[in-house]
Amino acid sequence: MPADRLLPDTDAEDLLKLVREIAREELAPDAAKYEEAGQFPRERFRLLGRSGLLGLPYAERWGGADLSYEVYLQVVEEIAAAWMSVGVGLSVHTMSCWALAHHGTDEQRDRFLPDMLGGDLLGAYALSETHAGSDAAALSTRARRDGAEYTVSGTKAWITHGGEADFYTTMVRTSDDGPKGISCLLVDAATPGLTAAPPERKMGLTGSTTAQVVFDGARVPADRLIGAEGDGLRFALDALNSGRLGIAACAVGLAQAALDEAVAYAGQRSQFGRAIVDFQGVEFLLADMAAAVESARATYLEAARRRDRGLPFVRQASIAKLVATDAAMKVTTDAVQVLGGAGYTRDFPVERFMREAKVTQIFEGTNQIQRVVIARQLKRS
C-alpha cells in the first residue's frame, strides 16, 4: 500500500517509481535475513550508487541530481519502508558528503565527490564521542598540524558505518578555543593508525554497523582539511539540520511499513466470525496510526520545502525529527498490538520495526535535544 504522494513534476513521479521498484525487488526481500544475521548490506549501497540515488541533493557536476529535498526525502522514506538500515545508511552517507559538497574546494570536490556520489565510496559521519554526544562542542579528538599532515588521536563513538565506510567526515579539535577550535577532516578509511572497534551489539538496526572509530596517531594529509581550521562545528551542526530531516523521513517510512503490515493482517485475521479489521477497537487503532504517519510526513515535507526555498528551517527540522520519530515509536508499538501474539514473534516484521524505531528517538540529536533547539528558536523569533 504505497504512500499517496503529491509530487512536484513527472520527473519526480518517474524517480519514485524507480525507487519503489528497487525497494520491492532488491531491498525488501532480503531485509529480514540480513537483519537476523547482523550482516551489513554493502552491495546494496553500490546498487543505489549505480542507480543514481546516493547523490540526489548534490550538484550534477559531481554526479548528483540537483534534486530538491522535498523529493530526495521521499526517496529516503520509500527505501526506509523497505529496509530501515539501508534508508538510514543513505541518509548518513548523504550527510557525510555535506561538508565537502558545500565547503570543499573545487579541486577537493573533483577528486572525491564523483566516487562518493557514484557508490564506490561509502561515507560515515564522525562527530560523536563517548563524552561528547549531545554536547558536540566538548569533543576531544585532537589533530595537530605536522608539516603537510595532521596527526590525529582520539576515539569517535556511535559511528554509523564504522569499520565499513571508505571515508570518515571527522570533526577534530585543532585548538583549545572551545567550539571555535573544531575543524573538519575528510579521512580515508585506509589511513594507518585508524581502526574500528567491534560493532556495538544493538537491539535494532542490526544490519547497520555502528562502532567506535579509533585514531592512534593517524596521519592525515593537510589537503584533507575542509574549509578553514575552526569551521568544523559550524559545518557539523549545519549538516545535522539537514540530516535530521533524513532521519524524520526514515522514521515515517518505518511507520508506514508498520501500518501497512497491521492493515493487511487485520484484514486477514478472523475472530468471532469476522475479520478483526471490522472491530471498532482495531479500526480506531489503525485510524490513529494512519493519522500519525500522515501528520509526521507533513512535518518533514514542510521543513524540506522551506529548506528548498532558502528559508530558515532549523526549528521545523527539529519539529519534524521529534514528531516523526515519536510517531514511529507509537505506530510500530501499535502494530505489534494489532497482530497480538503473532506481532511479538519474529515470524512477522513488526517486532523488528518496533526495535528499529527506538533508536530514531536517539540519534541525530535526541528528542530531548530537539525540544531544546525548538525552544531556543522560539526565543529568538
Side-chain angles (χ1 to χ4, degrees):
M1 188 170 58
D4 186 15
R5 303 188 183 280
L6 292 175
L7 295 164
D9 52 44
T10 56
D11 286 344
E13 292 171 0
D14 290 342
L15 174 62
L16 265 293
K17 288 178 184 177
L18 169 65
V19 171
R20 283 175 171 166
E21 179 181 345
I22 292 172
R24 181 179 63 250
E25 297 181 5
E26 303 291 344
L27 300 181
D30 288 332
K33 178 177 66 176
Y34 274 67
E35 295 297 324
E36 181 74 21
Q39 182 179 350
F40 184 71
R42 180 65 178 87
E43 71 282 1
R44 297 310 194 282
F45 292 103
R46 293 190 179 94
L47 171 64
L48 295 184
R50 292 194 300 271
S51 304
L53 302 180
L54 277 189
L56 291 175
Y58 295 124
E60 291 182 356
R61 169 176 171 178
W62 294 289
D66 274 324
L67 198 67
S68 68
Y69 252 63
E70 176 185 359
V71 177
Y72 155 68
L73 290 174
Q74 294 184 81
V75 170
V76 173
E77 183 194 329
E78 290 284 345
I79 291 173
W83 191 345
M84 185 64 167
S85 287
V86 179
V88 169
L90 171 57
S91 178
V92 168
H93 176 80
T94 301
M95 187 169 65
S96 301
C97 297
W98 193 94
L100 174 63
H102 287 276
H103 298 288
T105 65
D106 280 350
E107 181 181 0
Q108 288 173 322
R109 289 183 283 199
D110 288 342
R111 181 180 175 188
F112 299 115
L113 265 183
D115 287 340
M116 292 177 178
L117 305 185
D120 291 331
L121 299 178
L122 183 66
Y125 184 76
L127 172 62
S128 294
E129 298 178 6
T130 303
H131 300 291
S134 296
D135 184 10
L139 68 84
S140 60
T141 296
R142 175 73 64 167
R144 292 181 171 84
R145 185 68 181 260
D146 183 12
E149 296 177 318
Y150 286 95
T151 301
V152 183
S153 295
T155 300
K156 294 295 181 178
W158 309 112
I159 306 304
T160 301
H161 302 163
E164 299 287 352
D166 300 294
F167 69 92
Y168 296 88
T169 297
T170 309
M171 304 305 158
V172 296
R173 182 162 296 285
T174 48
S175 83
D176 293 321
D177 190 13
K180 297 179 181 179
I182 296 171
S183 303
C184 179
L185 293 175
L186 185 66
V187 184
D188 193 304
T191 302
L194 186 159
T195 57
E200 304 290 350
R201 299 169 60 218
K202 300 179 297 182
M203 68 182 286
L205 285 183
T206 49
S208 174
T209 302
T210 304
Q212 290 187 344
V213 177
V214 180
F215 297 84
D216 185 10
R219 300 188 70 83
V220 179
D223 64 6
R224 294 296 193 99
L225 177 70
I226 306 299
E229 287 192 1
D231 285 340
L233 188 63
R234 176 168 60 88
F235 294 170
L237 297 180
D238 284 349
L240 280 170
N241 288 331
S242 296
R244 285 167 181 159
L245 292 178
I247 295 306
C250 286
V252 172
L254 185 65
Q256 181 72 60
L259 172 62
D260 293 347
E261 287 286 339
V263 170
Y265 183 88
Q268 298 167 2
R269 172 71 168 168
S270 293
Q271 291 287 278
F272 306 103
R274 54 179 173 154
I276 66 170
V277 74
D278 293 327
F279 289 95
Q280 190 176 77
V282 175
E283 286 179 328
F284 282 11
L285 196 57
L286 294 173
D288 286 346
M289 293 163 68
V293 172
E294 296 203 20
S295 297
R297 181 177 294 120
T299 62
Y300 87 63
L301 287 174
E302 168 65 13
R305 289 165 183 150
R306 291 181 64 86
R307 185 191 187 282
D308 291 336
R309 288 158 179 75
L311 298 173
F313 73 99
V314 172
R315 185 180 80 220
Q316 289 79 10
S318 284
I319 290 172
K321 200 273 186 182
L322 171 65
V323 169
T325 59
D326 281 354
M329 192 72 249
K330 181 181 185 304
V331 169
T332 56
T333 302
D334 286 347
V336 172
Q337 190 70 26
V338 171
L339 271 67
Y344 198 67
T345 71
R346 295 192 178 185
D347 296 328
F348 293 85
V350 291
E351 64 83 27
R352 170 166 58 87
F353 295 163
M354 188 175 78
R355 289 186 286 108
E356 291 173 341
K358 183 59 208 174
V359 75
T360 66
Q361 296 175 304
I362 298 170
F363 58 17
E364 308 291 30
T366 66
N367 283 6
Q368 286 69 37
I369 289 295
Q370 303 315 315
R371 290 174 169 89
V372 171
V373 172
I374 294 164
R376 286 177 177 171
Q377 290 290 316
L378 289 172
K379 292 174 187 177
R380 294 172 184 171
S381 60

